[in-house]
Amino acid sequence: MNMFPALEKKYTKEQLGILEAQRRAHEIAFAPVTFQVSRLMIKFGIFRLLDETKSGLTLDEIADATKLSRYAIQVLLEASLTAQTVLYVDGRFVLSKTGWLLLTDPLMSVNMDFNHDVNYLGLYHMEEALLNGKPEGLKVFGSWKTIYEGLSSLPDEVRKSWLRFDHFYSDHSFDEALEIVFSYHPARLLDVGGNTGRWALRCVDYNQDVRVTIMDLPQQIGMMKRQIADKDGAARIDGYEIDLLNPDAPFPQGYDAIWMSQFLDCFSEAEITSIVQRAAASMDEQTRLFVMETLWDRQSNDVAAYCLTQISLYFTVMANGNSKMYHSDDLIRCIEAGGLTVETIHDGLKSGHSILVCRKA
């Protein structure tokens, strides 16, 4: 299994002494507790109070400021102290670097809300999901086969956290992605799995002549049309309804560029091959397929790789039961099995994305 050098260095040699390993093992065992404690330290405003008072606060001062019971504050602070999100200095609690990051880093907020609102209850069913190959945790919200079928019907807070998570990881890469895609001068672009139309809107804003067709499930097309209705350039965005899990559903023809952003990670390897085969059948020699993904093995640091491999289990338990954040070798193998070849890979886009530019083999 190939990895970028920084990851190979991290993952091929033992990094911890025995006491550090023991601590890490206990952190894993109590991870659900620490997660909820940290989430509530943010929600109740305790981290914010400590951040605003650099000299720190006593337990009683925090209880007075938050109007929570002394007991509630005490158990939260003691758990946070041993989790090292707060420190105890001269009789007062102060915010640690870890606590400050949990409070201020937008990515931490996105990930915590996603895990709490979307994943937390469903993760109890991970064992079933792995054994059955189905998103068994999704039943906490509804009886859909995949989360994508039920996205428009999820509880408001759950859907909000899902969309915020999805958009955060893709939006930061769009500026660089637009330059790459439009260096090929497409006049017609097919946006596969275009969701709420954010990429399509960026395209019609970036290029005043391009027409974009978003291809997605009927319910997603309906949501997309509502989202873009009053936006500039919406007249150059069309919808094409399709069930991409139907292997007999063809791609429309006549497009210069086909765009798949954070899309193929929503499917199993066999499904990816089927999708690529149908894309290839619609392409000519000039058409390019652009696949933008966060490939865990092509990350510049182990923190990003860690986050991506953990996100894989969202797909296992909640999304569809059979997809993941892919290693580039696996994704490229599926693309080649579908009849395309990867001619260029652009790594290092923001949020850890890579773009694979593919043509007919």
Side-chain angles (χ1 to χ4, degrees), residues 200-201 204-205 207-213 224-225 228-239:
L201 286 170
V204 296
D205 179 65
N207 184 291
Q208 298 305 306
D209 298 317
V210 70
R211 292 198 65 90
V212 180
T213 298
M224 175 274 293
K225 289 181 176 179
I228 72 168
D230 59 346
K231 302 294 193 302
D232 292 340
R236 287 185 283 127
I237 301 175
D238 302 306

Side-chain angles (χ1 to χ4, degrees), residues 251 258 275-284 289 338-340 360:
F251 276 46
I258 301 174
I275 290 168
V276 173
Q277 285 174 336
R278 285 175 279 152
S282 75
M283 296 167 62
D284 60 28
L289 167 65
L340 298 181
K360 295 195 79 166

Side-chain angles (χ1 to χ4, degrees), residues 86-102:
V86 303
L87 302 172
Y88 191 64
V89 182
D90 297 330
R92 307 174 79 82
F93 290 93
V94 298
L95 195 62
S96 73
K97 290 179 181 177
T98 302
W100 179 81
L101 285 168
L102 287 169

Side-chain angles (χ1 to χ4, degrees), residues 17-18 43 54 118 147 149 184 312 332:
I18 187 61
K43 182 176 182 178
K54 302 302 182 185
V118 179
I147 200 169
E149 296 175 25
Y184 289 79
S312 283
I332 291 171

Side-chain angles (χ1 to χ4, degrees), residues 119-130:
N119 297 328
Y120 202 87
L121 295 176
L123 285 172
Y124 184 83
H125 302 282
M126 185 184 295
E127 181 177 351
E128 298 169 60
L130 288 166

Side-chain angles (χ1 to χ4, degrees), residues 15 37 40 63 66 79-80 98 247:
Q15 303 289 316
V37 166
L40 293 175
T66 61
S80 297
T98 302

Side-chain angles (χ1 to χ4, degrees), residues 27 30-44 46-47 72 75-77 79-80 83 85 102 112-123:
E27 288 174 345
F30 283 96
V33 179
T34 305
F35 174 85
Q36 291 294 354
V37 166
S38 299
R39 186 183 71 84
L40 293 175
M41 290 288 282
I42 296 169
K43 182 176 182 178
F44 293 153
I46 301 170
F47 281 169
V75 293
L76 287 174
L77 282 173
S80 297
T85 57
L102 287 169
M112 290 192 78
D113 287 348
F114 179 68
N115 278 318
H116 177 68
D117 295 330
V118 179
N119 297 328
Y120 202 87
L121 295 176
L123 285 172

